[in-house]
Amino acid sequence: LRDQACGIALDTTHLPVVISTWQGQPSQSLVDRYYRWFDAAAAAALAAEQELVHIADLSGARQPTAEVRKRIYEHARDDLAAELTMLTVVVRGDMDPCGFVRSVGRLTSARHATQLVLVESVSAAIIAALARMWDARIPPPLGLDPVYYQTPQL
């Protein structure tokens, strides 16, 4: 997904792990498109009776405007994917300093069974995701390796 100031790469190669890689400053319309995409992915997971693990790589993202943060908060409050996501791992970026990621994570976790983990790298995110899947007795996807995973170039 792309607009003038931001791009989001959505990697579903390793389902049930979904990796979103953010670059730039997201706009309200891009955030809306992102949540529509994730709602469709959640509906497919629901039909397959599958839980999701979401890795959100925000290391290349820039702090959104207050209007966009409000829109993200509104989406997170009613997020269908949160019903099916057992773990969200956030790779820190510029979106974290104001505590916004933590506040959305607390909102999501309070309403749903989602666990939120903040990490410093994509490798650490993959390690956390794989550990959570093993704890839940869910076989990890083949080929998802913290050493060899390459984030998409936008």
Side-chain angles (χ1 to χ4, degrees), residues 68-143:
V68 174
R69 288 193 311 269
K70 180 178 185 255
R71 182 60 135 233
I72 293 170
Y73 183 84
E74 291 167 353
H75 280 295
R77 186 180 55 211
D78 301 320
D79 187 17
L80 172 63
E83 301 283 341
L84 304 167
T85 304
M86 74 166 88
L87 174 67
T88 298
V89 186
V90 176
V91 180
R92 296 174 193 246
D94 287 344
M95 295 176 82
D96 188 50
C98 73
F100 177 71
V101 169
R102 285 187 194 94
S103 65
V104 170
R106 277 194 293 272
L107 169 72
T108 303
S109 296
R111 290 196 69 228
H112 312 290
T114 302
Q115 178 186 4
L116 178 73
V117 175
L118 300 174
V119 297
E120 299 296 328
S121 69
V122 173
S123 294
I126 292 171
I127 290 167
L130 294 175
R132 179 65 181 96
M133 292 178 75
W134 279 118
D135 287 348
R137 300 187 194 292
I138 297 170
L142 293 174

Side-chain angles (χ1 to χ4, degrees), residues 1 7-11 19-23 34 55 151-154:
L1 305 174
I8 307 169
L10 301 161
D11 183 355
I19 303 173
S20 61
T21 304
W22 298 63
Q23 294 286 326
Y34 168 76
I55 296 174
T151 57
Q153 299 300 310
L154 296 168

